[in-house]
Amino acid sequence: MSKNTSGAGRPVEPTSQIELLGLVAYGSLAAFERTAQASAAATSIDDKLVLARIAAQRFTHLGRLETELARRGSTLKAAMEAFVAPIDSFNQHTEPRTWGEVLVKLCIIGGLVQDFADEISGHLDAGLREILTGSIDDGELASEPGQMLARALQEDPEQQGRLALFGRRMLGEALSQAQRVAAARADLTGLLTGLGQDGGDDLAAISHLMSRLAAAHATRMESLGLA
């Protein structure tokens, strides 16, 4: 979709791009909150510090997205509003009850977001792709939750089966909320699939995308020791 212009001649950003930035922004806010809560719950000072640093990075990502949205004529609040209900619903249905579940959620969500970005990056222009990549990159700290989970499993191997089930439930809920968003936001769906408004069956393409994300999730679960 190309840009249109307002009556005043000011370029108006495509709805799909504003929506994508809003989705990533509210996801970043939720990730910041989740990671800060994990830092507060950690019993090791080392873990507290690592998770606090990840939370700080995610809040910085949110600030960059706010600046980008302002440059495109939108606000953080306006862009995020459409995604509050599905992301909050996901978090309510996957609320961790144990430290192991806290770590699984951090690992799974981080992995799904990265896989999602990898999948859609080929459909984005270079500028938007750079913004997306910069808004989800936790740098050298990205692998830390997985290492914490490995230690937790080593200390208590009996929780492995329960955590594996929790990870699968998380995937199901994530895909359910993604379908909800895809069905409601046609412009965004077209951007994510690379089809555009008249390029083909967006929902079928989203279904294929979700299948690939599910396959990547299964591989990640295995690498985490939760096959």
Side-chain angles (χ1 to χ4, degrees):
M1 185 190 302
S2 59
K3 293 182 182 179
N4 17 42
T5 53
S6 66
R10 184 182 185 280
V12 177
E13 293 294 330
T15 300
S16 58
Q17 295 190 11
I18 297 296
E19 288 180 339
L20 176 60
L21 292 172
L23 171 61
V24 175
Y26 195 68
S28 296
L29 177 58
F32 159 73
E33 293 173 334
R34 183 170 57 248
T35 312
Q37 290 166 357
S39 177
T43 57
S44 157
I45 291 180
D46 287 339
D47 289 351
K48 282 180 178 290
L49 287 171
V50 167
L51 293 170
R53 290 185 183 111
I54 295 174
Q57 283 185 345
R58 290 174 175 176
F59 196 77
T60 299
H61 295 334
L62 186 64
R64 290 171 181 159
L65 288 164
E66 182 174 28
T67 299
E68 182 62 24
L69 282 162
R71 189 183 72 79
R72 291 168 178 259
S74 183
T75 66
L76 196 58
K77 179 182 177 181
M80 293 193 305
E81 280 180 334
F83 306 102
V84 171
I87 291 177
D88 283 1
S89 179
F90 167 79
N91 281 319
Q92 289 163 7
H93 285 90
T94 59
E95 187 65 33
R97 296 171 297 175
T98 67
W99 178 240
E101 289 182 356
V102 167
L103 294 175
V104 169
K105 187 164 185 175
L106 290 176
C107 293
I108 295 305
I109 295 304
L112 282 173
V113 169
Q114 185 60 64
D115 292 340
F116 171 74
D118 291 343
E119 283 283 346
I120 70 169
S121 61
H123 306 314
L124 307 178
D125 62 54
L128 196 57
R129 183 165 57 246
E130 183 178 356
I131 295 163
L132 176 66
T133 301
S135 299
I136 64 171
D137 183 13
D138 290 328
E140 295 180 357
L141 295 173
S143 64
E144 290 290 344
Q147 295 174 22
M148 293 178 195
L149 178 60
R151 292 196 296 270
L153 287 170
Q154 189 172 29
E155 292 170 4
D156 182 11
E158 292 186 359
Q159 65 181 322
Q160 181 179 12
R162 177 172 48 78
L163 294 181
L165 287 173
F166 180 69
R168 285 198 287 274
R169 182 159 63 87
M170 283 189 60
L171 175 67
E173 185 64 29
L175 296 184
S176 175
Q177 295 302 330
Q179 288 174 328
R180 174 182 174 184
V181 170
R185 323 294 303 183
D187 285 346
L188 177 60
T189 301
L191 174 66
L192 300 184
T193 59
L195 296 178
Q197 281 189 317
D198 303 310
D201 189 342
D202 284 345
L203 293 182
I206 284 288
S207 179
H208 292 309
L209 169 61
M210 291 180 184
S211 294
R212 293 192 297 273
L213 292 176
H217 171 81
T219 300
R220 180 167 291 103
M221 289 284 284
E222 186 173 359
S223 71
L224 292 170
L226 299 175

